[in-house]
Amino acid sequence: MTAKPPVPSQIPRLSFWLTGAGIVAERVLRSFWLFFSVVMLVLAALMLGLQDLIAVEFVWGLAGLSALAGLATLAFGARNMRFPTRTDVLIRLDASLPGRPIQALIDTQTVGAQDAASVALWQAHQARMAQRVAEASPVEPDLKLSTRDPYAVRYMALLAFVVAVVFGSISRVETVAGLAPGVGAGAGGPTWEGWIEPPRYTGLPTLYLNDQALETLTLPVNSRISLRFYGEVGALTLNETISGQVIPDPSAPEQSLVVTKAGSLSIAGPNGQSWLVQILQDMPPQISVSGLAETRAEGRMALPFTAQDDYGISGGQVTVELDLLAVDRRHGLSVAPDSRAALVLDLPIPITGDRSDFVETLIEDFSQHPWAHLPVRITLTANDAAGQTGEAAPFGTALLARGFFDPLAAAIVEQRRDLLWARANAARVAQFMRAISHRPEDLFRSSTGYLRYRIILRRLEVYTQAGLTPEWQTEIAAALWDLAILLEDGNLGDALERLRRAQERLSEAMKNGATDEEIAELMQDLREATEDYLRQLSRQAQQEGGDQPQGQSGESMQMTQDDLQKMMDKIQELMEQGRMAEAQQALDELQQMMENMRVTQGQQGQSEGQRAMEGLADTLRNQQGLSDQAFRDLQEQFNPGAQAGESQENQGRDGGQGRGQSHSGQGGTGAGDGEDGQQGAGSLADRQQALREELRRQQENMPGAGTPEGDATRESLDRAGRAMEGAEQALRENDMAEALDQQSSAMEALREGMRSLGEAMAQEQQNQPGQGTQEGDAQAQNRDPLGRQPGSQGSIGTDENLLQGQDVYRRARELLDEIRRRSGEGERPEIELDYLKRLLDRF
């Protein structure tokens, strides 16, 4: 018998035992992997309940085969299993170290044992080997079985077992015992399981019937109940009155029924249970129009509506029908209309979120439809997942579409409508078009439009003589629409022509009583056309070297771009107030001034940076006025009686200017007009929106692009724009506290942007040659940090200061003292005290 080798004391004990454990795991896995696979497959099948899907005979037959396979694989593994010895562990450790140091420590010297030098050399060798052994680490076991299991049977068994653990139940393994004859009469008796599955569209979870301890169940209609009986057949029976059908075999092992009415459900027999079932009816959806139809940008019609359903709207339709009785049957509409099917659109529903109760808006462009601007009936229908339909009452309105303000374009669109109304109108439309073109020089601004008009007229006359077909009718209508668009928009290639065109369209809109939205859109076109025209003039002046003739003293007037914007703001304000005659006069003055305008350069004008600085200063001042007005409205909400008592005090602090100028601001709000001072939250939101749009316009013309200072300016102004947008949203929601916070952030960002712009201007001035003269330095030194010119006495500051002539530090102390006083009054509302506390924390 071979003696066991001693374990060198230099081997770390932990490494020795961990290596031995790894060898054990390696040999167990190699010997019993097939047994483990069989066990996992059998458990997976039982936990998933596969035994309940086949006959009892097959279950016991498969159980016998599984037992034989388990015993065979277990015996095979036990025969091949060998536990590792001390020698096996030492050999595994020794093989992992360089030079076989463990073997060197176990060996003894046989040659040269009597030689002192040889003994010393041997001892030195063993000392080096002992040092290596002391650093030995545990050896990882080799657990790979790819050579023994090339088809990865072990992984398939493991996957099946994991699926069973996640989706199955260990309790189902016990049901095998209930399949044996006579077992149902044992101590446990027969058992049952049940599940309640509500309709999928309800989004409700499946319920385990065994866990329902309440005697009454409230279930959605069409819920499915599945039952499964285990044990002796006939020991358990089902009795129910909720499906409305007769159960063929109440004692069958599997039962399934659909709940259609209220009633009772009971399982008779050992361990049975009963319930009263109530029905939760699925209500049909409800839908209704929630507001008036309005015209959006580019003539799109917007119709708001609301829809509700207990489980969510799945879809719907919008049906548009002509209200023939409400049509004014004159001129081209006097004949009988051609038959035209109702217009059917899909109901817009939210893509994400809750569809059980929502507010949505139907937005559609009906400008080219034959019924545009005619009275129609709009019917909204909504469907739910159960197939039920809810219908709103027909909503009568005009089919809103794009409006045409050019007289000729409007006439062509009207004739297009008559042609689409009935093909019988073709001869009348052709005659009308020929009458219009009798004197083209008085109507058409360009030969292109006139030539297209004549081509359409000749084609219409030919089609009319040959008999107008629906295809030809559609072709002529499309050509008339394109012609009307051309006449309405004009040729935008020439800036001056575009400017005149925008002014004429605005004049026609004022005469025809356009809506506020249409006026705002036309004013925006006028602003853009003015900017394009000014840019063209500036480029022309630069190309000509700036040597333009100057008029005599008193015969010319200087006007900046900000002055033009204020003039257009005044025109828009007059139109919104209904003062059309004054607005038309101001528009005529603007048109005459623009046609006589020329761009001057040199010492008489302002640099681009100075204009931008003055514009930002105006924006900051207007934002401050809006913030003051919002703060007073917040006070009015919580202290209705305090406003009247404090009005006199506020008026004095504002330097006697009152609300109209001190707090209303400028830029479209009528600065200086006391009548504009009293405005609600909605008006404040509109003014905030106008101020944000003005800031966006200023950003487009901001100098210093590409420089660090210019980029910093644009970043600050972007933050200011986002804060203004947040303030606008808060004002529309009547959240004054949040609006004040956002407005404060906007003002701070504006100040940072102005500082960065000043640095950019200073850097640009230093880089420009010839700017270091005495006169230039004196002018630069005499400007204040906002780039404004000195006052009449040579002192820094003008009448355009940000605080309207107030002492900055005194005004700041007064405001801070007032905030502290009000924050100490405990009777004030909690929301106001929180806001005052935030103000104190910030300042």
Side-chain angles (χ1 to χ4, degrees), residues 514-528:
T515 63
D516 293 342
E517 292 79 7
E518 292 171 335
I519 289 177
E521 183 176 353
L522 292 175
M523 280 301 302
Q524 182 62 27
D525 292 342
L526 179 60
R527 295 176 194 273
E528 294 176 357

Side-chain angles (χ1 to χ4, degrees), residues 215-449:
E215 296 181 355
T216 302
L217 300 176
T218 302
L219 305 178
V221 67
N222 295 325
S223 296
R224 177 172 295 276
I225 298 179
S226 301
L227 295 171
R228 191 172 294 165
F229 298 154
Y230 308 114
E232 184 179 356
V233 177
L236 296 174
T237 57
L238 172 64
N239 298 317
E240 57 87 18
T241 59
I242 58 177
S243 66
Q245 298 179 353
V246 179
I247 302 176
D249 185 5
S251 61
E254 293 186 2
Q255 302 286 348
S256 180
L257 54 96
V258 177
V259 179
T260 58
K261 60 180 182 178
S264 62
L265 173 68
S266 63
I267 300 175
N271 301 319
Q273 196 172 350
S274 61
W275 301 268
L276 292 177
V277 179
Q278 296 181 354
I279 293 298
L280 186 61
Q281 293 291 345
D282 187 352
M283 304 302 296
Q286 299 179 359
I287 186 171
S288 61
V289 177
S290 61
L292 298 178
E294 60 180 10
T295 305
R296 294 283 180 89
E298 299 178 357
R300 292 179 298 175
M301 176 179 173
L303 181 64
F305 66 90
T306 60
Q308 304 90 23
D309 187 67
D310 40 12
Y311 297 116
I313 303 293
S314 62
Q317 289 182 337
V318 180
T319 304
V320 182
E321 299 175 306
L322 178 66
D323 190 357
L324 191 59
L325 296 179
V327 176
D328 186 7
R329 305 292 296 275
R330 293 188 300 170
H331 308 303
L333 303 181
S334 58
V335 301
D338 293 342
S339 177
R340 193 175 298 275
L343 184 61
V344 180
L345 308 172
D346 291 333
L347 183 73
I349 58 177
I351 298 177
T352 59
D354 186 17
R355 296 183 181 178
S356 59
D357 188 359
F358 62 89
V359 178
E360 193 58 78
T361 303
L362 169 68
I363 300 178
E364 194 70 27
D365 188 3
F366 298 106
S367 299
Q368 300 187 49
H369 197 272
W371 297 339
H373 299 291
L374 295 179
V376 295
R377 292 190 303 270
I378 300 179
T379 305
L380 306 178
T381 58
N383 306 324
D384 62 7
Q388 301 180 101
T389 300
E391 183 174 300
F395 179 75
T397 181
L399 192 63
L400 302 182
R402 173 175 177 170
F404 288 82
F405 303 103
D406 181 85
L408 181 57
I412 291 176
V413 168
E414 181 179 354
Q415 296 310 305
R416 174 183 178 272
R417 181 204 63 186
D418 295 346
L419 181 64
L420 290 174
W421 177 264
R423 291 191 297 276
N425 281 330
R428 177 184 179 278
V429 171
Q431 183 180 8
F432 188 88
M433 291 181 64
R434 182 166 290 280
I436 290 179
S437 61
H438 176 60
R439 291 186 177 180
E441 63 276 0
D442 297 333
L443 291 177
F444 293 91
R445 296 179 176 85
S446 64
S447 58
T448 302

Side-chain angles (χ1 to χ4, degrees), residues 55-129:
V56 178
E57 294 78 7
F58 288 102
V59 172
W60 289 110
L62 293 176
L65 292 177
S66 301
L68 290 177
L71 291 175
T73 54
L74 181 62
F76 175 78
R79 187 183 65 178
N80 294 333
M81 178 63 188
R82 296 290 183 270
F83 283 94
T85 61
R86 183 189 304 172
T87 303
D88 296 333
V89 178
L90 292 177
I91 293 174
R92 178 68 63 88
L93 271 175
D94 199 21
S96 66
L97 298 173
R100 301 278 183 172
I102 298 178
Q103 185 65 41
L105 294 179
I106 297 175
D107 289 344
T108 57
Q109 184 179 8
T110 57
V111 179
Q114 304 301 325
D115 186 2
S118 179
V119 171
L121 180 60
W122 175 254
Q123 292 176 352
H125 173 67
Q126 283 194 320
R128 286 195 300 272
M129 295 299 104

Side-chain angles (χ1 to χ4, degrees), residues 9 15 29 151 166 173 189 192 268 291 321 432 449 466 484 502 596 612 626 631 665 704 752 795:
S9 59
S15 299
L29 189 61
Y151 299 104
V166 175
V173 178
W192 59 273
E321 299 175 306
F432 188 88
N596 298 329
L626 285 177
F631 183 71
E752 293 180 4
S795 59

Side-chain angles (χ1 to χ4, degrees), residues 543-600:
Q543 293 172 0
E544 296 176 358
D547 298 330
Q548 298 183 12
Q550 301 291 336
Q552 299 293 331
S553 176
E555 296 180 359
S556 63
M557 178 181 63
Q558 268 191 336
M559 175 169 275
T560 65
Q561 189 172 1
D562 291 335
D563 296 331
L564 291 176
Q565 292 298 331
K566 291 178 182 178
M567 196 170 182
M568 285 186 285
D569 291 339
K570 189 65 176 178
I571 295 173
Q572 183 174 0
E573 181 183 354
L574 291 173
M575 287 189 294
E576 291 175 352
Q577 294 175 359
R579 300 154 66 179
M580 295 301 177
E582 300 178 29
Q584 182 62 49
Q585 182 180 358
L587 183 61
D588 294 340
E589 294 176 358
L590 175 63
Q591 182 175 359
Q592 183 178 3
M593 181 186 63
M594 293 298 296
E595 291 179 355
N596 298 329
M597 179 179 291
R598 61 173 179 266
V599 177
T600 59

Side-chain angles (χ1 to χ4, degrees), residues 608-609 612 698-715 717 753 756-761 763-764 767:
E608 187 178 5
Q698 293 174 354
Q699 286 181 263
E700 295 176 355
N701 301 324
M702 193 62 57
T707 63
E709 295 82 2
D711 294 341
T713 302
R714 285 169 169 77
E715 182 180 356
L717 297 184
S756 300
L757 179 58
E759 295 175 0
M761 293 170 57
Q763 185 69 25
E764 182 180 1
N767 295 335

